[in-house]
Every structure is written in C-alpha cells, then in structure tokens.
Amino acid sequence: MDLGVRWKLHGDGRTPAPGAVVRPDERLSWPRTLGLGAQHVVAMFGASFVAPVLMGLDPNLAIMMSGVSTVIFLLATRGRVPSYLGCSLSFVGVAAVIRAQGGTSATVTGAVFVVGAALFLVGLAVQKFGARIIHAVMPPVVTGAVVMLIGFNLAPVTASTYWPQDQWTALLVMLFTGLAVVCLRGFWSRIAIFLGLLFGYGISWAFDRIFGRIHSVTGGAEAVDHWRLNLSGVGKAEWIGLPSFHAPSFQWSAILVALPVVIALIAENAGHVKAVGEMTGANLDDKLGTAISADGVGSMLSTAVGGPPNTTYSENIGVMAATRVYSTAAYWAAAGFALLFGVCPKFGAIVAAIPGGVLGGITVILYGMIGLLGAQIWMNAGVDLRNPLNLVPAAAGIIIGIGNVSLKFTDNFSLSGIALGTLVVITGYHALRAMAPAHLKTQEPLLDEGTSSYDDAAGDTADGQSAKS
C-alpha cells in the first residue's frame, strides 16, 4: 500500500529550478527539508497557539496533537495533499459561549469531539456522493453568512475580556500586526501574527520596567495590580514532560452551540484542496472527501484526550506559495517538530504567559479576519445581496449570531448566538427558496469558484439538465 512516504530527490536537492515546483512526492535535501518543516511550524505559531489559549486548553497538548493530526492527514491522503493541521480559530467563539454557560474544558472538548465526528461523516458522504451533497445544503450565501456570524460573534470577547486588561498595549500590538500583514512580504507576511506576539511580549516587558504594575481586571471581577508579563510559570516548568490530558464531557446544550462550525470547516477544506491542486497542477478532486474525513478524525483524536480541534491551515499555503515547495516530506518534518514542542512544558508555559493586552490587539484583527472570510466567500461566488432570497436569511442570522440573541424553549434548553443564527440562515434560506417566485431563484455558483470540478462527469451532466429544466 502506497502511504506517500517515499520521495524522489528534486534536481540537485538545493533549490527548485526557475519556474519549477517541488511536487508532493519530491523533496529537497534532508537538511533543507527539515528547515522547511520548522518554517511551517513557525508559520502556524501565531494563530494556532493563540487559539488554545483563548479556548482555555493546554497549549502543549495542542501542539502535540497538531503533529499527530498532521500525520493522520498525510497518511489518509496518501501524501497527495500537503497540509499542516493546526487548532482552528473557528472554535474560539464556541468555547467562549460554552464557558459563559458554565461549561468546563471537558465540556468544550466534548462538544468539539461531536463536531469532529460530524465532519468525518460529511467526508464519507462526499466520498460516496460527491461534493454536490454539500452544495445542495450549503450554497455560498449560507456558508458565507455562517462563517461571518461565527467570527463577529467573538467581538464581545475582545472588547470585554482582553482589551481592557491593557488598552495601550492592545492598541500598539494591533497597529504593529496590521502593519506587518500589509507591509511585509512573502514568508514574513505569513507569520505576521507570530511577529505581533513577539512585539507584544517586548512591549509588555518594557512597560513593566518603565511604568511598573498595571491596575486592571485579569479574569476576575475585581481590578488588581499585576505585572503585564508574568513569566514566573516559565521558570518553574520542566524542560521535558507530558502535557495534561483529560476526557471529554458531553452536554447537548454545548454540542448544539458547536455544531454550526462544521459548515466553516467544510468551506476551509474545500478551499484548501482546491488551492493546493491549482498550485501543484494536480487533480485532487478525488481527495476532497478524504481530506474532510481526515480532519474529522484528527479533531476527534485530539479532543478525546483534552486537546483542541485541528484543521487545515491557510498560513501553510502561503509558505508553500512563497517557497514553491509542496513536498509532504516537509510536513512530516513539521509534525516531528510539533511533537517535540509538545513534550516541553517550558515552551507551553511561555505560550500560556501571553499578556491579556497582547491578546486584545491580536484578536481584534484575527476575529475580524474570520468574519470577513464569510464576505470573501460571497464575493468569490458572486452572491447577489440585492436578491431578498439571499439578503433576508443572511441578515437575520448574522444579527442573531453577533447579538447573541436567545430563544428559550424550556428552563433547561435554549438556542442562542451561533447555534440559533446558523439555524435561521440554513432553514430560512431553504424555506424561503421553496416559496419564492421563480425569478428570484437564479442559479448560483457552487461553494466557491471552480468547486464544481470536484464532481464527476455524470454529476455535471445531471446538473446541466436540471439547470435547463
């Protein structure tokens, strides 16, 4: 059985020839491959280490399980889809809502475990029936609206939790990170979040030396005097040791909050497979279902031991595009580095010490970017918001999601925020479409531009006939 773990040496093993790319089944020399693997880990440092901290989960376990999930993904796709799996920011809002309802870390991981299982089943369905099953339920107007409300639902977390801890540090970090994203080029632009974190650490350390302790809220109800950057835990942490594990706990209220994230993950996977296929010139249509299922398995395995969910990471697409190296050998190296970081508690202590003000500046940009990805889905698919069939369910669902509107059924069961907003978008769109006049039911592009290529010829013929009828 070919597991995609054999690679041919590309050229002289040093650099790709002009105009050439290092394909997934090729590699450069092993020292260069190891260097590229380390580069991939650094590229996902920013978001993938901020996410578990924001979710209240162990960053050491997060990085360890990201390595394990990456190995699972590479084996499942037989080395044809180069990808690193890191903690998805789409779940940060879910974790915040669950904790606000009194949930624990076990409740969070239990809810996300179910999301991973749902993603796995969707992947199996795509393998059997083709991508058209996704498009039928989630046209671009629905997908974009759900991704948007998931991102913007996080705004109160930044405004009320992180930003007030140190508003001036937050402002400086936000400005620096924004400049890094816009003004830097290539690889440096891809690690802008990581650079923002480093800048925030430096600013917090300098402000502590210049101004002394700050008086602000740090997570409790009362404002207290405290250091912006507290590295006491780093000195106490061991160099070698296993992260902390815990079993998931399942509660229906938490599961219903988390399930809508499946839609965002499906969109992420479809976009990732399409982007890699276009960059490498390979037809990866047959791997979409496998990629989705592999993400689901990785997330289930990670959350089963108390870690965060994992999904394909866009930062690493940027690294591949900049280096023209798509070798899966580099991702095996990245997974190895991740496992090493995972057994270093001192590294996790450094991540856990990120000052609240720094998180305030970072999350202003990160959460906004998540929300605006929904708008990008609309733009790529040409969604016409002048059409009330698109406008009404999207508008209602987004406001419900952002405003955290609640619908109470009994004393023990209610829907609110992300869960209720997603339900309104999906059911509202399909219900209105069933009753709308014919002139409003214009044919829309599928999930994103070009995604129809995931379907086989028979499917395309059937779609063409339905469009004609």
Side-chain angles (χ1 to χ4, degrees):
M1 181 183 294
D2 182 15
L3 297 177
V5 293
R6 295 180 180 179
W7 304 274
K8 298 175 293 184
L9 188 66
H10 177 87
D12 61 2
R14 295 182 178 180
T15 56
V21 299
V22 180
R23 299 178 61 80
D25 61 348
E26 298 177 329
R27 65 169 177 85
L28 297 177
S29 65
W30 283 115
R32 287 173 173 78
T33 297
L34 291 174
L36 285 166
Q39 191 172 354
H40 279 298
V41 175
V42 171
M44 46 71 66
F45 259 14
S48 198
F49 282 110
V50 169
V53 171
L54 297 177
M55 294 175 70
L57 301 177
D58 185 352
N60 269 95
L61 184 56
I63 184 63
M64 174 186 284
M65 296 312 298
S66 74
V68 173
S69 298
T70 298
V71 169
I72 292 173
F73 185 93
L74 294 173
L75 290 175
T77 58
R78 303 290 191 268
R80 289 183 57 197
V81 185
S83 180
Y84 188 98
L85 270 64
C87 181
S88 175
L89 284 164
S90 300
F91 288 94
V92 173
V94 165
V97 172
I98 293 173
R99 290 187 181 277
Q101 295 174 348
T104 63
S105 293
T107 312
V108 171
T109 53
V112 177
F113 179 91
V114 176
V115 175
L119 191 64
F120 172 71
L121 294 176
V122 170
L124 294 182
V126 171
Q127 290 181 52
K128 183 172 181 61
F129 301 108
R132 203 170 304 280
I133 189 174
I134 298 175
H135 310 321
V137 178
M138 296 181 299
V141 61
V142 170
T143 307
V146 172
V147 172
M148 185 175 290
L149 69 87
I150 288 174
F152 291 157
N153 177 266
L154 296 167
V157 177
T158 293
S160 61
T161 302
Y162 299 115
W163 191 279
Q165 292 187 35
D166 187 353
Q167 60 177 1
W168 297 112
T169 295
L171 179 63
L172 290 174
V173 170
M174 180 194 73
L175 294 174
F176 176 88
T177 306
L179 286 172
V181 171
V182 174
C183 298
L184 297 181
R185 295 184 179 182
F187 172 72
W188 296 106
S189 176
R190 303 305 304 181
I191 63 169
I193 299 299
F194 177 59
L195 296 178
L197 288 174
L198 293 181
F199 175 80
Y201 268 98
I203 286 293
S204 297
W205 179 86
F207 282 2
D208 280 342
R209 298 300 175 275
I210 297 171
F211 304 111
R213 296 173 184 258
I214 187 174
H215 185 78
S216 67
V217 175
T218 61
E222 298 291 332
V224 296
D225 292 330
H226 62 94
W227 296 111
R228 296 167 181 82
L229 179 61
N230 184 357
L231 297 177
S232 60
V234 178
K236 299 175 183 177
E238 300 291 335
W239 281 102
I240 303 295
L242 290 174
S244 58
F245 301 96
H246 69 257
S249 173
F250 302 97
Q251 294 181 11
W252 273 112
S253 58
I255 291 170
L256 290 174
V257 169
L259 275 176
V261 180
V262 170
I263 297 175
L265 298 183
I266 293 170
E268 286 178 2
N269 272 272
H272 183 88
V273 172
K274 177 193 167 187
V276 173
E278 289 179 347
M279 288 189 297
T280 60
N283 186 348
L284 300 177
D285 299 354
D286 61 321
K287 289 298 179 183
L288 176 60
T290 303
I292 293 175
S293 292
D295 266 23
V297 171
S299 290
M300 284 192 291
L301 184 60
S302 178
T303 52
V305 297
N310 291 302
T311 186
T312 50
Y313 239 61
S314 60
E315 281 84 349
N316 300 102
I317 292 181
V319 174
M320 288 190 290
T323 61
R324 294 180 295 137
V325 178
Y326 307 99
S327 171
T328 53
Y331 283 100
W332 278 93
F337 283 120
L339 291 173
L340 290 176
F341 279 122
V343 294
C344 179
K346 195 170 289 290
F347 171 78
I350 294 174
V351 175
I354 300 174
V358 177
L359 290 175
I362 293 291
T363 54
V364 163
I365 294 177
L366 275 181
Y367 294 170
M369 289 171 65
I370 296 171
L372 290 177
L373 285 175
Q376 184 178 11
I377 291 174
W378 286 344
M379 292 171 62
N380 291 343
V383 174
D384 184 6
L385 292 179
R386 296 169 299 180
N387 186 337
L389 178 58
N390 298 328
L391 179 62
V392 171
I398 288 171
I399 291 299
I400 288 173
I402 296 174
N404 209 31
V405 175
S406 179
L407 186 63
K408 186 175 181 180
F409 294 91
T410 68
D411 291 338
N412 299 318
F413 179 72
S414 64
L415 289 173
S416 62
I418 295 173
L420 182 58
T422 300
L423 186 64
V424 167
V425 172
I426 295 177
T427 59
Y429 174 81
H430 289 290
L432 290 173
R433 188 173 182 84
M435 296 181 288
H439 71 277
L440 294 181
K441 301 178 184 179
T442 55
Q443 185 75 21
E444 292 189 71
L446 300 178
L447 189 61
D448 51 38
E449 287 183 349
T451 311
S452 56
S453 64
Y454 289 131
D455 299 316
D456 55 28
D460 291 337
T461 303
D463 191 54
Q465 291 174 346
S466 63
K468 290 179 183 178
S469 61

